[in-house]
């Protein structure tokens, strides 16, 4: 659906109106609720297809629409990326093993507004290095979000994430980024998770976008498999990701996809 609300900056970024925050809040809450609920099912022996079936049913139960079913031919209500899969993992018959880590990414449409979020989970007990990767990735996301306020730049967001991640001897994926959203799934700007402070477009009240850093234990390079969806680390190192949809406010930002139950990942 095209979105003609608000104005557009010279960088092509839409500035939304105060009333639009309510729509994003509703969509983000349902996406976050689904991620809260699916965590109880993440166990060794469960297939990623089982998790996707549950998510599809939950989307329908909440009266929402899946944004991913039918998107560029995609046929699932989530992306589920296990271990060295960086993003866009396709749910299927693969069973989770004890110690696997996985990202579950869900996007719903509620009254025309898109709520997009992802979160890390563990099946059984993950190795300490995997748990540490998850913790660093989440903290990197939150440091990026802390940099969001009018007058700062998108470069400030990327710089906050990159410096923290690299200080912990991990790497930020460069091949994928966050994005604008609202009444559309993907829109300007591209939100990079690395960069120099004070560069790129200036943040303004009313901007809606995702921040979704992907962090690897090894090198940052990725490759896309023959299915044209699944991205994996080239060196087969573990990868983790967290994603929130946010809106810039007069004094900072609002996280539309914050967990209603206060959950972040399943330890």
């Amino acid at each position: 659906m095209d979105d003609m609300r608000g104005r557009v900056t010279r960088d092509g970024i839409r500035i939304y109106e105060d009333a639009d925050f309510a729509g994003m809040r509703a969509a983000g809450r349902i996406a976050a609720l689904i991620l809260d609920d699916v965590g109880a099912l993440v166990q060794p022996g469960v297939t990623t297809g089982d998790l996707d079936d549950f998510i599809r049913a939950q989307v329908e139960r909440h009266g929402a629409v899946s944004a991913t079913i039918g998107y560029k031919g995609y046929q699932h209500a989530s992306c589920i990326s296990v271990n060295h899969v960086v993003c866009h993992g396709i749910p299927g018959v693969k069973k989770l093993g004890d110690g696997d880590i996985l990202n579950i990414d869900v996007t719903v449409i509620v009254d025309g507004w898109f709520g997009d979020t992802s979160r890390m989970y563990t099946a059984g007990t993950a190795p300490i290095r995997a748990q540490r990767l998850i913790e660093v990735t989440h903290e990197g996301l939150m440091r990026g979000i802390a940099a969001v306020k009018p007058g700062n730049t998108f470069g400030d967001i990327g710089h906050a994430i990159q410096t923290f991640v690299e200080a912990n001897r991990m790497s930020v994926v460069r091949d994928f980024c966050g994005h604008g959203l609202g009444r559309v799934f993907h829109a300007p700007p591209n939100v990079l998770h690395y960069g120099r402070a004070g560069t790129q477009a200036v943040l303004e009240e009313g901007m809606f976008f995702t921040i979704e850093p992907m962090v690897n234990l090894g090198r940052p390079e990725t490759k896309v498999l023959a299915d044209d969806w699944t991205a994996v680390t080239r060196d087969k190192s573990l990868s983790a990701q967290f994603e929130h949809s946010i809106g810039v406010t007069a004094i900072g930002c609002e996280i539309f996809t914050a967990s209603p139950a206060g959950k972040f990942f399943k330890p």
Side-chain angles (χ1 to χ4, degrees), residues 23-24 26-28 30-31 62-65 108-115 182-183:
M24 290 297 291
I30 288 177
H62 286 288
V65 174
V108 300
I109 309 170
V110 178
D111 296 329
W113 296 99
F114 285 72
R183 285 187 173 270

Side-chain angles (χ1 to χ4, degrees), residues 125-201:
T125 302
I128 292 175
R129 63 192 178 97
Q131 295 179 33
R132 179 63 179 153
L133 170 66
I134 291 172
E135 292 167 0
V136 168
T137 304
H138 184 262
E139 179 63 20
L141 167 66
M142 299 312 293
R143 289 187 181 221
I145 289 174
V148 177
K149 64 179 180 180
N152 277 4
T153 69
F154 283 96
D156 294 330
I157 298 172
H159 180 74
I161 296 169
Q162 181 184 7
T163 53
F164 175 75
V165 168
E166 292 180 353
N168 282 275
R169 299 177 180 242
M170 300 176 192
S171 64
V172 177
V173 170
R174 266 72 164 171
D175 297 334
F176 301 94
C177 61
H179 53 88
L181 81 171
R183 285 187 173 270
V184 291
F185 197 169
H186 297 99
N190 289 333
V191 182
L192 306 182
H193 305 116
Y194 61 95
R196 291 189 298 116
T199 64
Q200 303 175 49

Side-chain angles (χ1 to χ4, degrees), residues 84 86 216 221-223 231-239:
H84 72 290
V86 175
N216 298 344
E221 292 83 8
T222 70
K223 64 178 180 180
V232 300
T233 55
R234 281 192 173 272
D235 62 7
K236 293 189 167 48
S237 63
L238 291 175
S239 187

Side-chain angles (χ1 to χ4, degrees), residues 10 15 55 63 109 123-124 135 140 145 157 165 182 204 208 230 252:
R10 64 181 181 180
I15 305 298
I55 290 167
I109 309 170
E135 292 167 0
I145 289 174
I157 298 172
V165 168
E204 296 184 41
F208 296 164
T230 308

Side-chain angles (χ1 to χ4, degrees), residues 7-29:
R7 64 179 178 86
V8 177
T9 71
R10 64 181 181 180
D11 298 295
I13 305 170
R14 186 163 299 282
I15 305 298
Y16 288 90
E17 301 168 355
D18 289 347
D20 298 330
F21 277 73
M24 290 297 291
R25 201 174 290 131
R29 178 177 173 81

Side-chain angles (χ1 to χ4, degrees), residues 18-117:
D18 289 347
D20 298 330
F21 277 73
M24 290 297 291
R25 201 174 290 131
R29 178 177 173 81
I30 288 177
L33 280 169
I34 291 170
L35 290 188
D36 278 355
D37 292 341
V38 75
L41 278 67
V42 178
Q43 301 290 342
V46 173
T47 70
T48 54
D50 292 335
L51 298 176
D52 187 70
D53 288 343
F54 174 82
I55 290 167
R56 185 188 297 251
Q58 289 294 100
V59 171
E60 294 177 359
R61 184 176 76 82
H62 286 288
V65 174
S66 171
T68 54
I69 296 175
Y71 178 76
K72 296 185 177 181
Y74 195 77
Q75 294 302 313
H76 302 276
S78 64
C79 292
I80 302 180
S81 304
V82 182
N83 291 335
H84 72 290
V85 178
V86 175
C87 61
H88 303 158
I90 301 174
V93 298
K94 176 181 173 60
K95 291 184 178 180
L96 298 175
D98 185 35
D100 282 348
I101 65 171
L102 58 151
N103 175 272
I104 301 179
D105 191 338
V106 172
T107 307
V108 300
I109 309 170
V110 178
D111 296 329
W113 296 99
F114 285 72
D116 188 3
T117 185

